[in-house]
Amino acid sequence: PFEPMLHADALLIQADLGPESEKAARYNQALALLQATTQRIPYNPAPWQKMGNIALAQGDTARGIEHLKKAVTIDPKSADAWSMLGGHYYQTQQWPAALEAYQTVTRVRPTDSAAWNSQGAVFFQLKRFNESAQAFSQAVSLKKDDLSARLNLMLAQEASGQYTAAIQSAQEALKVAPDTEKAKLISYIKQLESRAGTPPNTTDTISTNTLPQANNAAMAAYQQGNTA
């Protein structure tokens, strides 16, 4: 029964690695196999999750959410499916739904640093900055060299007016930042020091390393923001 899914996996690899002109056809072939599998084995979450993956790759968020909701209905403890679902909700700015998804991931898989980072990102969007900082802190404790989480922690602490903590987080980020970025962080620390005693800045956006291009966005968070 699993042979069609193996074939679908091969087609997905070909779609990712092959020429762009063949990608749509490979996705459609894989979808046909996965849909056939759901009819033969309706209570297997794997094909629904894979179809959610395809929808994400094709930019069809509504369909991706539909497939992934089916997957987590079948298997409520599927951390991977919940994480993908959270990503879809995050992209469409459905913050309460995204928060529920990422909180489910951290309950099922509490050592998932990326899920804690994503959870912190959603709290930040909801302007729940203390809870955001707590989630980012958990991500950092699980993965000490995660620069994205360290930068996000720094921004959440600043947004909640914890300037001393934000400065300390920035100094810790210096230890894992590449040499090309250290000058920017040092400049940012000086800006934080100059803001001590002023109202919190809540205008920045933060990033999550579970979403497309998030690693680049993490550095952009402090390069583009906090320049006033």
Side-chain angles (χ1 to χ4, degrees):
F2 293 98
E3 184 177 344
M5 282 204 296
L6 293 175
H7 188 189
D9 287 341
L11 287 167
L12 292 176
I13 293 172
Q14 292 171 17
D16 291 337
L17 301 180
E20 190 69 26
S21 59
E22 298 179 4
K23 183 168 290 189
R26 300 297 188 194
Y27 281 148
N28 289 336
Q29 290 172 332
L31 277 172
L33 290 167
L34 293 168
Q35 287 167 348
T37 303
T38 63
Q39 294 173 1
R40 295 173 60 190
I41 316 173
Y43 297 108
N44 181 357
W48 294 103
Q49 183 175 327
K50 293 176 189 295
M51 288 193 293
N53 258 326
I54 294 174
L56 176 62
Q58 294 178 322
D60 190 342
T61 300
R63 185 159 54 93
I65 288 174
E66 179 184 345
H67 292 327
L68 290 167
K69 285 174 72 174
K70 182 69 174 178
V72 298
T73 298
I74 296 171
D75 182 4
K77 293 185 178 181
S78 175
D80 290 338
W82 276 111
S83 184
M84 289 174 55
L85 188 57
H88 280 290
Y89 284 135
Y90 192 99
Q91 288 184 320
T92 53
Q93 300 183 10
Q94 299 181 58
W95 306 128
L99 180 59
E100 179 186 6
Y102 287 127
Q103 286 179 322
T104 302
V105 178
T106 56
R107 282 196 298 270
V108 174
R109 196 163 60 196
T111 58
D112 189 332
S113 62
W116 284 106
N117 194 23
S118 299
Q119 187 180 138
V122 180
F123 274 129
F124 194 100
Q125 299 291 354
L126 292 169
K127 300 189 182 304
R128 293 163 63 175
F129 300 118
N130 286 329
E131 291 164 291
S132 176
Q134 290 170 6
F136 289 138
S137 180
Q138 184 67 19
V140 168
S141 71
L142 290 167
K143 190 175 180 182
K144 309 261 185 220
D145 61 347
D146 187 343
L147 181 59
S148 171
R150 287 191 177 278
L151 293 176
N152 289 342
L153 173 60
M154 172 184 73
L155 294 172
Q157 289 168 331
E158 181 194 3
S160 61
Q162 303 176 56
Y163 293 106
T164 300
I167 291 168
Q168 182 177 354
S169 293
Q171 291 170 336
E172 290 297 318
L174 271 173
K175 299 176 182 178
V176 297
D179 291 341
T180 54
E181 301 297 336
K182 288 184 177 179
K184 298 184 185 71
L185 262 173
I186 291 170
S187 175
Y188 188 80
I189 290 170
K190 292 178 180 178
Q191 292 176 36
L192 285 172
E193 290 172 339
S194 71
R195 287 182 184 153
T198 65
N201 175 16
T202 62
T203 59
D204 276 335
T205 57
I206 45 75
S207 65
T208 158
N209 60 14
T210 65
L211 298 178
Q213 301 179 345
N215 291 335
N216 293 334
M219 275 297 179
Y222 76 95
Q223 291 172 333
Q224 297 174 1
N226 288 299
T227 56

